[in-house]
Amino acid sequence: MRKIVNRKDKIIINYSQSKGGKQRSFDLVFPYINDTEIDVVLVAEQSDSGEWNPLKAITDKEETTADEEEAAKDLADLTWHIYSRKEQKKLLPSVVNLWEEGNLRIAACLSEKYGEKFFTAKQQENLEKEVLNSDRLICWWPDPVIWESAKKLKESFNSLLLMK
């Protein structure tokens, strides 16, 4: 898990170290469970190749309506993808939330440990439109207990199939 630093007024989740490139901050409101929100500033750095890499996420304790420590653990488990809006065919893991900032898209995605299916951002957006009354794609994030239970159930099911 990534390093989480708990300060008086904010929680910082460190994803990677700066390499001295151009940095940019994105102010995001993250819809969370039980109709709560996480107020997060995502700091990213642009590499020489032009790709954006997340450095850290900073949650404001006063602005966040979710339990800050639980939310920070869940945010630390996500992978972030920042890419041009023109990249319609970019393959992403399951998207938990998506924002547009100017000519960029920011996708908060499940880490690969939750599954190996990758779809384009456009396919996931279309899927989300098909789901009625949904603010985001239906997924079991952020509940790792459900993921572990589902994994064990799948393993048990596969074992039963092999016995036949």
Side-chain angles (χ1 to χ4, degrees):
M1 181 175 275
R2 292 160 174 127
K3 185 177 179 186
I4 300 172
V5 179
N6 195 339
R7 299 239 169 100
K8 181 181 177 184
D9 59 339
K10 61 188 166 195
I11 296 178
I12 303 167
I13 300 114
N14 292 301
Y15 295 102
S16 63
Q17 294 291 321
S18 173
K19 293 184 172 105
K22 174 184 165 188
Q23 291 187 10
R24 183 169 172 187
S25 296
F26 303 95
D27 294 320
L28 309 172
V29 176
F30 201 115
Y32 195 60
I33 55 177
N34 297 327
D35 293 323
T36 60
E37 294 178 338
I38 307 167
D39 186 72
V40 63
V41 175
L42 180 67
V43 179
E45 180 176 74
Q46 193 171 30
S47 68
D48 292 338
S49 66
E51 288 197 29
W52 288 94
N53 302 308
L55 297 176
K56 60 186 166 186
I58 305 164
T59 62
D60 183 321
K61 288 183 177 181
E62 286 188 23
E63 297 295 323
T64 296
T65 59
D67 178 286
E68 302 96 7
E69 291 183 18
E70 286 300 315
K73 288 178 194 172
D74 291 331
L75 287 176
D77 203 31
L78 294 175
T79 60
W80 295 88
H81 300 268
I82 304 166
Y83 57 96
S84 170
R85 288 176 59 185
K86 295 176 186 176
E87 286 186 67
Q88 294 292 319
K89 295 185 180 186
K90 180 164 181 70
L91 290 175
L92 298 170
S94 295
V95 173
V96 175
N97 214 326
L98 190 66
W99 298 266
E100 291 190 6
E101 291 280 329
N103 64 341
L104 295 174
R105 282 205 172 129
I106 300 138
C109 301
L110 294 178
S111 67
E112 288 77 17
K113 74 179 183 182
Y114 292 115
E116 298 173 7
K117 290 190 177 182
F118 284 69
F119 298 98
T120 66
K122 190 67 176 168
Q123 287 171 318
Q124 293 192 54
E125 285 177 49
N126 290 338
L127 177 61
E128 183 175 19
K129 290 175 188 170
E130 293 174 18
V131 179
L132 298 176
N133 302 320
S134 175
D135 290 337
R136 61 181 185 190
L137 292 180
I138 293 177
C139 68
W140 294 334
W141 183 87
D143 193 340
V145 173
I146 294 175
W147 280 99
E148 286 304 311
S149 297
K151 190 161 76 173
K152 288 177 185 171
L153 181 64
K154 180 182 176 192
E155 290 168 1
S156 297
F157 183 72
N158 287 341
S159 297
L160 287 172
L161 289 177
L162 291 174
M163 292 177 152
K164 287 188 174 187

